[in-house]
Amino acid sequence: MAVRKNQANLSDEEKKNFVDAVVKLKHQGQYDEFVTTHNAFIMSDTDEGERTGHRSPSFLPWHRRFLIQFEQALQSVNPSVMLPYWDWTVDNAADSPLWSDDFLGGDGQGSDSRVTSGPFAFNGGSWALNVRVDGRTFLRRALGRGGEELPTQADVDSVLAAATYDAPPWNSESEGFRNSLEGWRGANLHNRVHVWVGGNMATGASPNDPVFWLHHCFIDKLWADWQSMHPESGYLPDTATPNVVSLRDPMKPWNDVTPQDVLDHTKFYTYQ
Ligand code: CU
Ligand code: CU
C-alpha cells in the first residue's frame, strides 16, 4: 500500500525524487493544467451559487480527488513518489527544513517577494509561472509576513473535536468540522496557512507553489484523523441539496467520482 509520509521524515533521495518529478510535470505541461483547474474553481465557487471546490461540503473530497490525480501524475514520472505532508504545527518557522534549497527552496526576497533559491526559483530556469493572476512570472513567497500565524496543535484539536461534518447553509457561514478546517469560521486551519506562506499561495493559482500539495496533504490527513475520531459522523449533506455536492452526487470536473467514493482514503493510500 502506498504510504504518504511527513515531509520531515523524507530521505534526501525521497526529497530529490519528489522535486524531480514535480519539475518534470512542469516541463511536460501537465503541472499547469492542475493550476488552471484549481483557479477555475476558486473563481466559480460562491457562497450563494454553485460551489464544489471551496466554501462547501465537498471542499475535502474535491481536494482529495485533486491530490490523488496529481500524485498519479507524479507516479507516471517516478512510481516511487508519494505526496508528503507538511505538519505546520511543528515545522512552523520560515527557517524550517522544508524551505531548504534541496527541497522547496527559500522565502521570497525583496519588495517583490521573489523566491531566489532552490529548485523553484525563477532564475533556476525550471519554474516560470504560465497560469497566473498577474503579470509576474516568478514564484513568490512572504513566509509569516501576511498577518497570520500558523495554526497550533491546540487549534487542530479544537477543530477535530467538532462532532458534525457540515451544516446549512453549506457555505462559508456554516458551523461544523469542514468549515472550521477550511477556515472561514473557528480556528481556521486551511485558509490561514495559504496566507502565512503568502505570494502565489495567497491566490487562486496557489498550486503554482509546490508547497500547495504538502499543505493540502496535511489537510487531507486531518480529515482522515477526524473520521477515525468520529466514526458515527458521516459526510453531509446526504440528500440532494441545491448548489452543493451531496454524498452521492458526481463532482465536477471529473463527474466520475462522488464524495462517497473517496471517503475511505485507505483504498488509495495510508498516512504514516
Ligand atoms: Cu483549493
Ligand atoms: Cu487550499
Side-chain angles (χ1 to χ4, degrees):
M1 171 58 74
V3 179
R4 292 180 176 178
K5 299 180 190 172
N6 187 321
Q7 58 81 29
N9 299 328
L10 295 186
S11 68
D12 290 347
E13 185 183 7
E14 286 170 325
K15 286 186 206 175
K16 182 177 187 312
N17 287 342
F18 176 78
V19 168
D20 287 352
V22 167
V23 169
K24 184 81 180 288
L25 290 183
K26 178 76 170 170
H27 288 167
Q28 291 175 344
Q30 289 154 276
Y31 194 95
D32 288 343
E33 294 173 17
F34 287 91
V35 186
T36 298
T37 297
H38 190 267
N39 194 46
F41 278 82
I42 285 276
M43 301 294 284
S44 63
D45 294 325
T46 62
D47 268 342
E48 306 303 328
E50 187 175 302
R51 48 198 184 275
T52 300
H54 307 87
R55 42 181 83 234
S56 62
S58 50
F59 167 71
L60 290 167
W62 190 90
H63 285 83
R64 175 166 285 175
R65 178 65 179 76
F66 191 56
L67 263 63
I68 289 170
Q69 188 176 20
F70 183 69
E71 189 168 56
Q72 288 171 345
L74 292 173
Q75 290 166 352
S76 74
V77 174
N78 181 341
S80 76
V81 173
M82 299 293 301
L83 285 182
Y85 61 88
W86 169 30
D87 180 349
W88 22 250
T89 68
V90 174
D91 295 294
N92 57 3
D95 61 356
S96 292
L98 175 74
W99 309 110
S100 61
D101 289 348
D102 68 348
F103 196 32
L104 300 185
D107 194 2
Q109 305 294 319
S111 60
D112 59 10
S113 301
R114 182 191 298 237
V115 172
T116 59
S117 67
F120 308 109
F122 181 76
N123 55 0
S126 295
W127 206 257
L129 307 191
N130 303 309
V131 180
R132 52 184 197 260
V133 296
D134 58 36
R136 291 173 287 192
T137 55
F138 49 88
L139 182 64
R140 292 179 296 115
R141 290 178 184 143
L143 304 182
R145 303 196 292 280
E148 289 281 8
E149 299 289 318
L150 288 173
T152 63
Q153 185 62 47
D155 293 324
V156 169
D157 292 343
S158 74
V159 170
L160 291 178
T164 304
Y165 178 78
D166 209 342
W170 315 109
N171 60 20
S172 70
E173 304 289 316
S174 294
E175 304 275 1
F177 169 69
R178 184 276 309 169
N179 200 31
S180 56
L181 178 67
E182 186 174 357
W184 306 107
R185 293 189 67 169
N188 178 1
L189 303 186
H190 159 264
N191 286 342
R192 64 164 141 157
V193 176
H194 279 274
V195 174
W196 186 89
V197 175
N200 303 96
M201 270 288 275
T203 76
S206 47
N208 272 318
D209 191 332
V211 78
F212 172 92
W213 308 105
L214 285 77
H215 171 40
H216 269 276
C217 193
F218 191 53
I219 294 294
D220 187 79
K221 179 181 184 295
L222 292 177
W223 182 24
D225 291 345
W226 179 84
Q227 288 175 306
S228 64
M229 287 172 65
H230 302 275
E232 308 302 316
S233 301
Y235 180 93
L236 292 171
D238 55 7
T239 55
T241 304
N243 289 323
V244 302
V245 181
S246 73
L247 181 62
R248 295 175 198 82
D249 287 341
M251 277 190 296
K252 293 176 181 178
W254 306 287
N255 295 320
D256 63 349
V257 60
T258 69
Q260 181 164 259
D261 294 332
V262 296
L263 291 185
D264 178 9
H265 72 285
T266 65
K267 290 193 292 188
F268 309 102
Y269 51 82
T270 58
Y271 281 110
Q272 189 180 78

